[in-house]
Amino acid sequence: MQGNTRRTGIMTDVHRRFLQLLMTHGVLEECDVKRLQKHCYKVHDCNATIEKLEDFINNINSVLESLYIEIKKGVTEDDGRPIYALVNLATTSISKMASDFAENELDLFRKALELIIDSDTGFASSTNILNLVDQLKGKKMRKKEAEHVLQKFVQSKWLIEKEGEFTLHGRAILEMDQYIRETYPDAVKVCNICRSLLIQGQSCETCGIRMHLPCVAKYFQSNSEPHCPHCNDYWPHEVPEVFDPEKERETGMSRSNKRSLRSRQH
Amino acid sequence: MSHASKRRRCVLEEGSETQSVLAVVEEDTSSSSTCSSSFPSSSSSSSSSFCPLILSSPEEELNVIPGPLGPPQDPSQGLSQDPSQGPSQNPPSSFLSPTAVASPMSQSEDGSSSQKEESLSTSEALPNAESLPRNVINDKVADLVEFLLLKYRTKELTTKAEMLNVVIQDYQDHFPEIFREASECLQLAFGVDVKEVDPSDDSYVLVTTLGLTCDGMMSDGETMPKNGILIVILSMIFMEGDCVSEEKVWEVLNVMGVYDGTDHFIYGEPRELITRVLVQEQYFEYRQVPNSDPARYEFLWGPRAHAEICKMTLLEFLAKISGSDPRAFPLWYEEALRQQEERAQSGITTTDDTSAMASESSSAPSSSFCPE
């Protein structure tokens, strides 16, 4: 096969199982996705060479395209880990969550989402979210219950919690990108480097442009004197390290051990 | 995927990027071979050896259907077809889009449907499309697929009424067509089958046709852990005939370190799991032993188990654990054969995932369901 030639559009049981399992998990980090792929090959076609992940996914996406579904790749905002989720592109709502949560729970999520988008740091405090429980649609919810629901969101990877504050999980950013842009067109923030939706990041104190932490890491890599790409002012924040999957495996660091930069660097 | 995000369902603008390139089926590479999933071209068509799986119309680029491929992606996707590959060379695989792409070819019989322009021609509708524009059908099919996938994930039943109400809405007359296409898409792309559960109320369940294994990783997701205990109990029921008493189940589970009333670090509260969750998901039936007093209970295979699990595979797994051969258990072997025949007759295809199940170690069942 030459360069770009691929057998595109072929779905075998390997791909189908991959899709089923990816759907079940909701969102997966790249290392887990690779393991999943390997597992699917093992089950269905153990003699085949495992296709490169990018091609494997492009292959599947080409088939799913006509259903408005795709496997979307994103990057976690705090430490730049690649993640993957099966996303429906045509929905402009939070319908993916609708199957798992009641009406008032969904509304709580919407309220939290709005606070997060409006905030400067990309985080909404638990207190502020809970203060809105009276405004929820559907069955009345008590604050205690709402706390529990927020934890459910964290467990199912829609929100991340840090020190009593909540922000969007990478999964939510991937899946609800369109919904967010359409619902909050004015409040939405965008990264100066990659132009995609920004919830957490660093911002220039002079001109106000924002960048994702992983984008900052890449942009200022090995630059000892970082300057704002827009106004050229000195960049005052600490530049994080670029995510390196190899290094992580070697040192065996777990995610929770890693010090991830908080977004409060505005 | 900028194209789709630009607008919900409206892909008219994207047509300008159309190249007449087909994925796979097309051996014509005149059009840019780097253009990915693009549209039925006027180029020579190979008539697919797969019958048109998806309803096709010699449609154009815009109709983002389960059939013909969606609007072309940026060439940077870098997909191109391998001209020498025809569908006939890939018997085990199926094409979702390409086939349907091929079928427009066969529809038009000569590939003359060079729909290079973006005009949405409703006149292209097939005779059996009942004058509903192709793009509308396609949208509805995509909606129905999304709806059914949700049902699959939540393992809920759905009914025709629900589908009509939630998804089809104004196009009730076209339900059979839309439903058929959606089912085909689900089967082709996801290996999920829409099985009729009860003809009297048109209820359906979504099951996987790929066979049951663990998902290959220790995760906090539920699929893997449940499978362990699931397979153990299903095996027991299988070995006993068709039902097994609750007492026996607990005996075996205790050996595995799973105790009634004690939270297990993988399975959680076991009673809740096996008598409620797995029953709700239709893997088991849990019923009182008739005329038992004090009440005793027994487990049977549930409809989902019957649909998803291949008895032969289970038997091979059990045989391997005990270091023997399926034929050494004539009664069970017969039963497994019978199931295979039944399935062959009703046209269900199941993958033989013997390798997956049998390869798992025969040590403590709960940990054996994780190949890594």
Side-chain angles (χ1 to χ4, degrees):
Chain A
M1 289 197 198
Q2 334 103 8
N4 277 334
T5 311
R6 289 263 171 250
R7 294 196 309 195
T8 60
I10 302 177
M11 289 295 279
T12 66
D13 280 349
V14 178
H15 304 88
R16 294 186 192 108
R17 183 175 291 274
F18 181 85
L19 275 178
Q20 281 186 14
L21 292 171
L22 183 59
M23 260 199 299
T24 309
H25 284 275
V27 65
L28 282 176
E29 288 189 23
E30 194 165 58
C31 50
D32 290 329
V33 170
K34 288 190 169 152
R35 253 201 298 179
L36 183 64
Q37 184 197 21
K38 207 167 130 199
H39 168 76
C40 293
Y41 269 98
K42 188 166 160 198
V43 171
H44 291 287
D45 198 358
C46 43
N47 296 320
T49 20
I50 297 181
E51 201 179 1
K52 200 166 84 122
L53 185 66
E54 190 184 336
D55 297 327
F56 185 78
I57 289 184
N58 284 344
N59 191 359
I60 294 178
N61 281 342
S62 71
V63 172
L64 295 181
E65 188 179 350
S66 47
L67 294 172
Y68 301 99
I69 298 177
E70 78 164 345
I71 300 175
K72 209 161 159 198
K73 179 177 176 179
V75 151
T76 57
E77 280 191 325
D78 48 10
D79 48 10
R81 292 160 176 272
I83 55 172
Y84 294 81
L86 192 66
V87 165
N88 190 305
L89 300 163
T91 43
T92 54
S93 72
I94 56 175
S95 56
K96 202 46 124 19
M97 294 178 73
S99 58
D100 298 327
F101 298 98
E103 189 190 355
N104 55 358
E105 294 172 333
L106 288 176
D107 212 36
L108 181 68
F109 183 81
R110 276 187 217 106
K111 293 270 183 286
L113 179 63
E114 188 164 0
L115 284 177
I116 290 169
I117 306 273
D118 283 337
S119 79
D120 199 47
T121 59
F123 281 81
S125 74
S126 169
T127 321
N128 287 345
I129 300 174
L130 294 177
N131 281 339
L132 299 174
V133 280
D134 294 327
Q135 301 171 24
L136 296 179
K137 294 184 204 155
K139 211 174 94 163
K140 186 152 160 53
M141 189 191 293
R142 286 186 299 278
K143 281 194 181 164
K144 210 63 181 96
E145 242 181 284
E147 273 177 15
H148 185 62
V149 174
L150 287 175
Q151 287 312 313
K152 273 201 336 190
F153 292 146
V154 171
Q155 272 159 28
S156 33
K157 305 199 178 129
W158 295 107
L159 293 180
I160 295 176
E161 184 189 357
K162 268 202 187 105
E163 298 165 13
E165 297 197 314
F166 293 89
T167 187
L168 292 185
H169 194 284
R171 178 188 192 184
I173 298 176
L174 269 181
E175 301 223 18
M176 301 176 188
D177 183 285
Q178 195 183 346
Y179 169 72
I180 292 173
R181 286 186 196 249
E182 291 189 9
T183 316
Y184 307 101
D186 304 318
V188 134
K189 303 170 188 76
V190 159
C191 173
N192 192 261
I193 305 286
C194 66
R195 315 306 316 177
S196 39
L197 193 63
L198 182 143
I199 305 288
Q200 296 178 56
Q202 295 180 351
S203 69
C204 175
E205 282 164 8
T206 314
C207 64
I209 59 131
R210 295 170 189 264
M211 301 202 274
H212 290 121
L213 292 165
C215 294
V216 167
K218 278 213 199 91
Y219 189 73
F220 291 135
Q221 203 174 10
S222 55
N223 181 343
S224 50
E225 290 192 8
H227 290 272
C228 171
H230 191 249
C231 68
N232 216 32
D233 230 17
Y234 181 67
W235 190 260
H237 310 294
E238 184 178 349
V239 173
E241 283 197 17
V242 177
F243 176 70
D244 182 359
E246 294 302 325
K247 215 197 297 177
E248 164 135 334
R249 252 212 301 277
E250 278 165 33
T251 60
M253 276 197 289
S254 73
R255 264 181 86 200
S256 46
N257 291 344
K258 253 172 109 164
R259 181 178 66 87
S260 39
L261 289 177
R262 283 295 303 281
S263 67
R264 307 198 128 202
Q265 303 182 3
H266 296 268
Chain B
M1 282 289 271
S2 54
H3 78 280
S5 61
K6 282 186 196 140
R7 193 175 300 251
R8 187 171 195 276
R9 300 288 158 77
C10 179
V11 291
L12 293 162
E13 304 86 78
E14 265 54 51
S16 52
E17 294 154 35
T18 303
Q19 313 250 351
S20 358
V21 168
L22 259 193
V24 192
V25 172
E26 269 331 291
E27 38 324 40
D28 171 65
T29 45
S30 57
S31 22
S32 142
S33 59
T34 56
C35 188
S36 55
S37 43
S38 190
F39 247 82
S41 64
S42 55
S43 34
S44 54
S45 55
S46 59
S47 50
S48 168
S49 61
F50 288 83
C51 51
L53 293 165
I54 311 292
L55 223 216
S56 50
S57 48
E59 229 49 71
E60 44 333 331
E61 38 308 359
L62 306 183
N63 296 330
V64 191
I65 8 169
L69 300 170
Q73 285 289 40
D74 5 306
S76 57
Q77 256 202 353
L79 298 177
S80 59
Q81 60 286 35
D82 182 346
S84 58
Q85 299 288 348
S88 51
Q89 299 185 8
N90 301 288
S93 61
S94 24
F95 296 74
L96 179 56
S97 22
T99 309
V101 173
S103 37
M105 292 310 128
S106 44
Q107 283 294 339
S108 54
E109 287 314 347
D110 55 0
S112 63
S113 56
S114 53
Q115 311 290 353
K116 297 203 190 169
E117 330 72 60
E118 324 32 319
S119 54
L120 194 53
S121 44
T122 55
S123 58
E124 242 71 35
L126 288 177
N128 58 342
E130 292 145 340
S131 73
L132 192 63
R134 188 67 235 184
N135 63 319
V136 176
I137 298 189
N138 298 339
D139 278 2
K140 284 300 171 188
V141 172
D143 280 343
L144 186 56
V145 166
E146 188 195 347
F147 175 79
L148 292 174
L149 280 178
L150 220 55
K151 291 292 173 184
Y152 172 72
R153 273 173 40 234
T154 57
K155 310 220 191 198
E156 286 172 12
L157 289 179
T158 182
T159 60
K160 177 175 175 182
E162 193 181 4
M163 288 189 258
L164 285 174
N165 192 27
V166 174
V167 181
I168 313 286
Q169 291 169 346
D170 299 330
Y171 302 99
Q172 313 233 338
D173 292 339
H174 299 271
F175 176 79
E177 180 188 340
I178 299 175
F179 181 72
R180 188 172 44 87
E181 279 193 39
S183 306
E184 283 168 355
C185 284
L186 284 171
Q187 179 56 54
L188 278 174
F190 296 91
V192 167
D193 188 25
V194 187
K195 262 187 91 62
E196 191 164 25
V197 169
D198 189 354
S200 61
D201 66 355
D202 285 323
S203 59
Y204 299 88
V205 71
L206 284 303
V207 297
T208 173
T209 55
L210 298 180
L212 200 63
T213 66
C214 81
D215 66 5
M217 43 187 146
M218 283 298 289
S219 68
D220 52 4
E222 290 162 14
T223 322
M224 191 278 277
K226 270 196 276 184
N227 279 4
I229 212 173
L230 184 62
I231 300 290
V232 166
I233 300 180
L234 288 176
S235 306
M236 288 180 65
I237 302 172
F238 179 50
M239 290 193 284
E240 290 288 320
D242 65 344
C243 68
V244 68
S245 72
E246 185 178 353
E247 292 90 17
K248 278 231 180 79
V249 169
W250 285 116
E251 263 175 46
V252 172
L253 290 183
N254 290 346
V255 169
M256 285 166 55
V258 180
Y259 301 96
D260 188 3
T262 311
D263 245 44
H264 187 265
F265 77 99
I266 295 180
Y267 302 120
E269 211 295 287
R271 171 171 289 277
E272 162 85 1
L273 178 63
I274 64 180
T275 63
R276 212 185 60 76
V277 177
L278 290 174
V279 170
Q280 216 168 49
E281 292 184 8
Q282 317 231 325
Y283 282 111
F284 296 144
E285 270 180 48
Y286 178 67
R287 69 169 186 212
Q288 184 173 356
V289 175
N291 306 319
S292 64
D293 187 21
R296 289 170 34 239
Y297 292 84
E298 55 190 10
F299 286 88
L300 301 91
W301 276 42
R304 182 184 288 270
H306 282 296
E308 285 185 5
I309 300 179
C310 178
K311 288 183 177 166
M312 186 57 82
T313 310
L314 197 59
L315 183 59
E316 283 162 352
F317 173 60
L318 294 171
K320 180 148 185 186
I321 294 182
S322 56
S324 69
D325 181 87
R327 268 165 261 251
F329 309 97
L331 281 174
W332 301 339
Y333 188 65
E334 227 177 85
E335 170 60 29
L337 278 179
R338 205 170 48 76
Q339 189 200 42
Q340 258 180 356
E341 231 179 72
E342 267 171 34
R343 285 187 172 180
Q345 274 169 11
S346 56
I348 299 175
T349 47
T350 50
T351 315
D352 180 3
D353 48 275
T354 319
S355 54
M357 286 189 69
S359 68
E360 283 145 23
S361 74
S362 52
S363 54
S366 57
S367 56
S368 70
F369 293 93
C370 183
E372 268 95 35

